Amino acid sequence: GTFGSHSTSNSSHSLHIGEEPYNNALDLTGHISNLRILNGVKLYTSDFKPPMRELEVTPETTLLCCQSKTDAALEKTGKTITVNGNAVASELTPGILTPVPKAGAGSAITGSVEFSGGTTSNPGDYLSIPNTTDLRLGSSDFTVEAYVNFTNGGVSNGVIVALWDNTDNRRSWNFYFDRSNGLYFAGSTNGSSGNNNVNASIDIEDGEWYHVAACRSGSTIKLFVNGVERASNTSVGTYYENTVDPINIGAQNNDDPTNYWKGFISNLRIVKGTAL
């Protein structure tokens, strides 16, 4: 489209972040991170991968804020920010990486793995872990969680991590996204069908980071997305003990190519014995 211009400049009012000064109905409820304004340069001129690190002051940066988990008024170009109402700094982040290690800690850069997806002629890529007792979840309490970024476009499914083969007597558990129906943790008590599932009907946006977690306590399993409970199943049985197949990250075993993960997976963690 064509962008117009204002005939006059506003030199009497301050810049507001998260609020339209004259319409309270437009006030933001949510989080803003790494807000940056550049005046005089078009930094992005075509499709691009969103930055995976904290934004920095570059030439012609006129504002850089919303980066601190302790100071909501922190601004990197020297401007003064006044905090109004209940706006507070938060530890919630979009998963981007800090440029330097934090004081007293190891490297703050933990990274992720990028998966290319798959087609019939090119089955794609995934990570494989040998089958071990501590990854057969059975009837144990557990937590399976990760930061994920799904870029599969129109492809229907994307497997995060699974002990699951698409043949009878080889299905156990499977954590995946379904583009039409949202986030699933599928479990099988008979090895042949997903009969102990829990499904959170959420929208999946390409290129967005999500923290997803499946937590089982007793016979109840819950799904969380960005820390918010979105679904539960209170009658979960014992998952089939598959002792044959590896645990795969980014695919099932013996998988349909359309189920390969395309995008990023970061900080995948499995805890057996505790619903965190």
Side-chain angles (χ1 to χ4, degrees):
T2 301
F3 293 91
S5 61
H6 293 286
S7 58
T8 59
S9 61
N10 185 336
S11 59
S12 58
H13 295 282
S14 60
L15 178 72
H16 288 218
I17 300 171
E19 179 197 47
E20 206 290 327
Y22 306 109
N23 187 346
N24 291 336
L26 298 179
D27 290 359
L28 176 74
T29 299
H31 296 76
I32 297 175
S33 179
N34 283 258
L35 172 66
R36 181 168 66 179
I37 296 175
L38 291 85
N39 190 348
V41 61
K42 295 183 291 185
L43 190 61
Y44 308 119
T45 58
S46 60
D47 290 351
F48 64 96
K49 285 188 176 182
M52 299 304 297
R53 298 179 185 276
E54 286 183 345
L55 300 183
E56 299 177 349
V57 175
T58 62
E60 299 179 301
T61 297
T62 59
L63 182 77
L64 181 56
C65 62
C66 302
Q67 290 186 303
S68 172
K69 67 180 180 181
T70 58
D71 183 5
L74 182 67
E75 203 281 326
K76 294 290 185 66
T77 70
K79 293 178 175 62
T80 299
I81 289 182
T82 300
V83 177
N84 298 276
N86 296 319
V88 295
S90 172
E91 292 187 351
L92 182 68
T93 75
I96 55 179
L97 309 175
T98 54
V100 296
K102 298 299 184 183
S107 173
I109 299 174
T110 57
S112 63
V113 175
E114 182 176 6
F115 298 84
S116 64
T119 64
T120 302
S121 59
N122 178 20
D125 46 29
Y126 60 94
L127 308 180
S128 183
I129 304 164
N131 190 305
T132 60
T133 301
D134 57 4
L135 292 174
R136 302 175 207 150
L137 298 178
S139 60
S140 299
D141 290 356
F142 64 80
T143 301
V144 180
E145 64 180 325
Y147 290 90
V148 296
N149 189 316
F150 190 54
T151 58
N152 249 13
V155 175
S156 58
N157 298 333
V159 175
I160 302 169
V161 57
L163 176 54
W164 191 280
D165 188 291
N166 276 334
T167 54
D168 286 349
N169 300 317
R170 303 271 286 276
R171 295 171 172 88
S172 183
W173 58 267
N174 188 357
F175 197 23
Y176 67 97
F177 264 135
D178 178 292
R179 178 162 298 282
S180 299
N181 300 303
L183 182 68
Y184 271 88
F185 194 95
S188 176
T189 62
N190 57 22
S192 299
S193 64
N195 58 1
N196 269 228
N197 303 338
V198 59
N199 165 225
S201 297
I202 63 169
D203 292 331
I204 302 166
E205 297 292 338
D206 275 5
E208 297 290 336
W209 279 101
Y210 300 84
H211 178 270
V212 295
C215 297
R216 173 173 177 166
S217 178
S219 61
T220 298
I221 183 170
K222 297 182 177 182
L223 290 182
F224 297 87
V225 179
N226 292 334
V228 178
E229 182 182 336
R230 300 299 298 269
S232 66
N233 181 348
T234 59
S235 57
V236 180
T238 300
Y239 299 138
Y240 183 81
E241 188 174 21
N242 180 335
T243 62
V244 177
D245 294 295
I247 291 81
N248 287 339
I249 300 170
Q252 303 171 25
N253 201 52
N254 190 25
D255 205 359
D256 182 321
T258 61
N259 292 331
Y260 282 89
W261 187 265
K262 184 177 181 182
F264 301 85
I265 297 175
S266 179
N267 284 262
L268 173 67
R269 179 168 65 176
I270 297 175
V271 179
K272 184 177 178 180
T274 304
L276 291 175

